[in-house]
Amino acid sequence: MLNIGIIGCGTIGVSICKAVDEGTIDAHVRAIYDRHKEHVKNMETSLEHLQPELMEPAKMFEHIDLLVECASQQAVSEIIPAALRAKCDVMIMSVGAFADHELYNEIRDIAKENDCKVYLPSGAIVGLDGIRSASVEEIYSVTLTTEKPPSGLAGAPYIVQNDIDIDNIKNKTLLFEGSASEAVKLFPANVNVAATLSIAGIGFEKTNVRIIANPELTRNIHEINVKGAFGEFNSKVENVPSPTNPRSSFLAPLSAIATLKKITDPFQVGT
Ligand SMILES: NC(=O)c1ccc[n+]([C@@H]2O[C@H](COP(=O)([O-])OP(=O)(O)OC[C@H]3O[C@@H](n4cnc5c(N)ncnc54)[C@H](O)[C@@H]3O)[C@@H](O)[C@H]2O)c1
């Protein structure tokens, strides 16, 4: 049975542990770690059967086959290279860390040298299977259109720098259009989505991102348009917030659980 270690006992970490506890994922959570000890305690009390051991990451590597990062971008740069050097596969949720190209290349190289896998779940978007297939031949363009209620964009550097009065947006308004590499700096809350899409497709510079504020919305919408030698496809997801964390999409923990199920299942469905 696959032995898992989890870094980060927040919304996604707890969802994964519960899924293992309930038998949805055929694996064992051998160890957990969070920089806030009270988050570890909260996680433990939410479990019925599973009793994962609290361990520092460096010790964890000796006991696990797969490290799951569901903590922060900082955890990716601090912990993932060492996990790979210790020959653990890794699953990374804070994909936005890879907006740093050097870190992306470093982790890719270390994984290759140590014959390890790096799993990046789809998170809050849909359609990555199609982009992976399409990328075997030429992809001409990838456009991500993110549409959110204005409150979901409040405080973003782009809004602050341009002095945009977000509360006064009364109609659907296109606020930004540019490359994914610009978008991740100006709208950091979109960073995971833009990063996963860029890595799956044509990179941060060529991926086009549009950000729309729409006061009529209650859900965050991500639409993806891809054109290439294969033809063209569009995907659209209307995300409801996670029941335990309104800042996060419910689809994100579900995609983490689905990826772990795929890793442990003999049948590998989809690209
Ligand atoms: N790929 C996606 O589409 C997607 C979607 C949602 C969230 N995320 C990312 O996944 C990560 C987890 O999301 P969440 O909603 O569970 O967050 P959360 O805030 O609910 O939980 C994160 C937990 O990690 C802990 N933590 C943070 N940095 C740490 C570190 N360096 N070492 C140890 N523990 C640390 C925190 O104390 C907290 O308990 C975040 O980085 C988030 O941006 C990705």
Side-chain angles (χ1 to χ4, degrees):
M1 191 179 268
L2 186 78
N3 276 306
I4 301 177
I6 296 181
I7 309 284
C9 301
T11 307
I12 296 175
V14 169
S15 300
I16 292 171
C17 268
K18 277 190 179 167
V20 173
D21 198 39
E22 289 160 3
T24 307
I25 303 169
D26 189 17
H28 178 58
V29 180
R30 177 73 179 74
I32 51 175
Y33 177 76
D34 195 293
R35 62 183 171 193
H36 292 116
K37 300 288 175 290
E38 68 275 19
H39 294 188
V40 175
K41 285 225 160 57
N42 290 346
M43 176 189 269
E44 285 167 345
T45 53
S46 71
L47 301 173
E48 254 182 62
H49 314 289
L50 206 62
Q51 291 181 321
E53 204 177 318
L54 172 64
M55 264 185 225
E56 290 290 327
K59 181 151 187 270
M60 202 186 265
F61 304 153
E62 299 163 22
H63 302 278
I64 59 169
D65 309 301
L66 173 79
L67 180 79
V68 175
E69 178 284 320
C70 41
S72 62
Q73 292 187 26
Q74 190 194 3
V76 175
S77 56
E78 284 178 0
I79 300 169
I80 296 299
L84 292 168
R85 287 194 181 98
K87 305 219 176 291
C88 297
D89 291 331
V90 298
M91 184 176 105
I92 295 172
M93 290 309 293
S94 307
V95 190
F98 294 133
D100 174 347
H101 295 273
E102 272 181 35
L103 181 67
Y104 174 77
N105 288 331
E106 183 196 353
I107 286 183
R108 212 184 161 77
D109 290 347
I110 301 171
K112 240 179 164 177
E113 279 161 24
N114 291 282
D115 204 14
C116 291
K117 295 272 182 279
V118 178
Y119 299 99
L120 308 181
S122 306
I125 49 175
V126 295
L128 293 188
D129 53 348
I131 298 180
R132 296 304 302 150
S133 303
S135 68
V136 174
E137 290 288 339
E138 192 180 355
I139 293 180
Y140 309 140
S141 68
V142 177
T143 301
L144 166 70
T145 303
T146 295
E147 201 175 323
K148 291 186 173 183
S151 59
L153 298 163
Y158 183 86
I159 304 294
V160 176
Q161 283 163 23
N162 291 289
D163 223 0
I164 296 170
D165 184 359
I166 205 87
D167 298 325
N168 255 333
I169 295 181
K170 302 288 180 229
N171 301 305
K172 184 171 163 175
T173 307
L174 175 66
L175 294 177
F176 168 87
E177 180 153 15
S179 68
S181 64
E182 286 175 278
V184 296
K185 291 181 200 119
L186 297 169
F187 294 92
N190 230 37
V191 67
N192 289 309
V193 166
T196 310
L197 183 63
S198 299
I199 293 167
I202 52 177
F204 283 83
E205 298 307 327
K206 291 189 191 150
T207 302
N208 188 39
V209 176
R210 303 167 77 237
I211 307 276
I212 294 173
N214 185 347
E216 289 185 2
L217 287 184
T218 51
R219 297 173 175 179
N220 292 338
I221 299 178
H222 299 297
E223 282 190 83
I224 296 169
N225 172 272
V226 181
K227 295 189 182 88
F230 74 97
E232 177 175 357
F233 81 77
N234 292 291
S235 79
K236 177 177 177 181
V237 59
E238 296 183 25
N239 281 308
V240 299
S242 193
T244 53
N245 180 356
R247 286 179 295 109
S248 204
S249 298
F250 190 26
L251 195 62
L254 299 183
S255 93
I257 293 167
T259 300
L260 290 169
K261 277 180 65 125
K262 188 170 174 178
I263 293 169
T264 54
D265 199 296
F267 268 62
Q268 300 286 302
V269 184
T271 310

